[in-house]
Amino acid sequence: MKDIDRLLDPNTTGFHRAWFPVALARDVTAEQPLGIDLLGTRVVAYRDPSGSAVVQTAWCPHLGADLSRGEIIEGQIRCPYHHWRFDQSGACAHIPTGDKIPPGARVFTFPSAEAWGLVWAFNGDAPLFHVPTIPGVTEQDLTIEVRKRGTRPLPPWVGTSNGIDFQHLRALHGLSASTPKTVSVSDYAIEYRIETDRYLQHGRITGTNVFAQHLRREGLDTYMLFAGAPIGRLSSRGFCVVGVQKVADKAADRHLAAARLDGVCGFVERLLAEDDPVLNTMRFRVGALVRSDRHLARYFKYVATFPSGEVPA
Ligand code: FES
Ligand SMILES: [Fe+2]
């Protein structure tokens, strides 16, 4: 697993070419720029006048001030230092002194998207694949709850491995999960499905930082998505989304959906509370694997060969 060791080396540069969650959508506004440490750099997120989320490099191309400390003026981000302004494409749109705008006066604008109550940015000039989804459902079908999950001293792909680590579901979480016979691996996703008369688990890893699943237990369909983003080389910030099917808009049914959602949130909180003490203290390495780890081993190979590259600047 030489390639995995390379990914764990703090001196390696670049990150996977994937969609990373930047912030809760409700925290990204048209009034106040939001600064976030992401991908070993800093980005600024805000909304343009049409309401679309914009994610840009936060370092001003003039002298390097943090644009997230500035203001949004007429839909453009204004640097706090000399008040240069940048538009949604990242081009410098205005220099108050009237100086000619130099050609290098641009900030990088990440491809961005809004889904599952989160704003996402793709690490690259153009997305290689679609924003992550939850198996078997569209966002419109669900009542969701989205939360911040805190930080971990690990790259996001280590946390994501939980989604395909069937051994830990039984040992650490005490779940009666079985192991799928096969998992299907494509360029940018890994998917599996375990189905019996009374149980369904349809899981999908998208990129190397998102695990989402549709679970049916005791006749109840629940949906969840766990997404992580690198802060630096070996640290990450997480978010989780849980959802249940929307019900007809009658007060009693809304109560039912809210109660079900509460139940799923409690279940997810329990899983995270069991994972955290282990994931936050381990010295991760791919060591002696056994047959039960075969899908996990396949995942590590997928991670090691997943496209990666420098963060555009
Ligand atoms: S450092 Fe941003 S305008 Fe000068
Ligand atoms: Fe877990």
Side-chain angles (χ1 to χ4, degrees):
M1 280 284 171
K2 236 169 60 246
D3 295 332
I4 281 282
D5 292 344
R6 188 182 54 79
L7 289 181
L8 292 165
D9 180 346
N11 298 316
T12 299
T13 59
F15 293 89
H16 285 139
R17 295 267 181 245
W19 285 101
F20 293 109
V22 175
L24 298 177
R26 59 177 178 263
D27 290 344
V28 178
T29 71
E31 288 75 43
Q32 184 67 44
L34 182 66
I36 303 126
D37 294 320
L38 185 77
L39 293 162
T41 182
R42 190 161 172 81
V43 302
V44 59
Y46 59 96
R47 287 184 191 278
D48 70 15
S50 75
S52 300
V54 181
V55 182
Q56 295 175 322
T57 308
W59 308 123
C60 179
H62 180 213
L63 295 183
D66 178 353
L67 294 174
S68 75
R69 299 284 172 160
E71 281 180 60
I72 299 161
I73 309 285
E74 292 163 2
Q76 297 174 338
I77 184 100
R78 188 182 75 175
C79 181
Y81 206 0
H82 310 95
H83 288 188
W84 293 19
R85 285 201 214 166
F86 302 89
D87 66 18
Q88 295 104 314
S89 77
C92 179
H94 179 69
I95 297 179
T97 54
D99 281 301
K100 190 165 173 288
I101 294 173
R106 309 188 51 89
V107 290
F108 178 71
T109 302
F110 289 82
S112 66
E114 190 164 338
W116 312 107
L118 295 165
V119 168
W120 303 75
F122 187 86
N123 174 33
D125 292 314
L128 295 175
F129 52 95
H130 198 269
V131 178
T133 53
I134 302 180
V137 79
T138 68
E139 197 175 340
Q140 288 68 35
D141 298 330
L142 295 186
T143 301
I144 62 169
E145 164 98 19
V146 52
R147 294 182 184 176
K148 291 182 189 174
R149 201 195 57 198
T151 60
R152 282 194 176 138
L154 291 167
W157 56 265
V158 176
T160 304
S161 74
N162 253 226
I164 198 159
D165 184 335
F166 302 98
Q167 194 177 162
H168 107 289
L169 291 180
R170 294 184 290 268
L172 178 64
H173 298 304
L175 299 173
S176 56
S178 50
T179 302
K181 282 200 182 65
T182 58
V183 298
S184 85
V185 184
S186 57
D187 286 348
Y188 308 116
I190 297 187
E191 192 155 344
Y192 62 85
R193 201 178 162 96
I194 304 166
E195 190 162 13
T196 66
D197 310 344
R198 302 206 321 228
Y199 179 82
L200 168 71
Q201 184 184 11
H202 185 179
R204 185 190 300 134
I205 289 169
T206 308
T208 58
N209 59 308
V210 178
F211 172 66
Q213 65 181 346
H214 169 198
L215 267 187
R216 183 182 302 137
R217 298 190 312 153
E218 289 145 19
L220 181 64
D221 289 295
T222 60
Y223 302 86
M224 46 201 86
L225 179 145
F226 304 90
I231 300 170
R233 228 14 283 135
L234 300 178
S235 57
S236 57
R237 179 186 301 111
F239 297 89
C240 67
V241 179
V242 298
V244 294
Q245 300 265 3
K246 272 187 189 153
V247 291
D249 196 22
K250 280 187 284 162
D253 289 342
R254 277 207 308 277
H255 278 307
L256 181 64
R260 283 178 177 163
L261 193 57
D262 259 9
V264 191
C265 286
F267 175 66
V268 167
E269 292 294 328
R270 189 200 106 195
L271 296 182
L272 293 173
E274 288 164 355
D275 280 330
D276 277 346
V278 177
L279 291 172
N280 291 347
T281 55
M282 72 195 294
R283 188 175 293 183
F284 177 82
R285 66 197 195 103
V286 177
L289 301 183
V290 295
R291 189 179 145 70
S292 297
D293 294 317
R294 61 195 179 281
H295 298 319
L296 192 57
R298 184 67 189 86
Y299 170 75
F300 290 136
K301 191 171 157 211
Y302 161 90
V303 165
T305 54
F306 200 87
S308 67
E310 301 288 335
V311 181

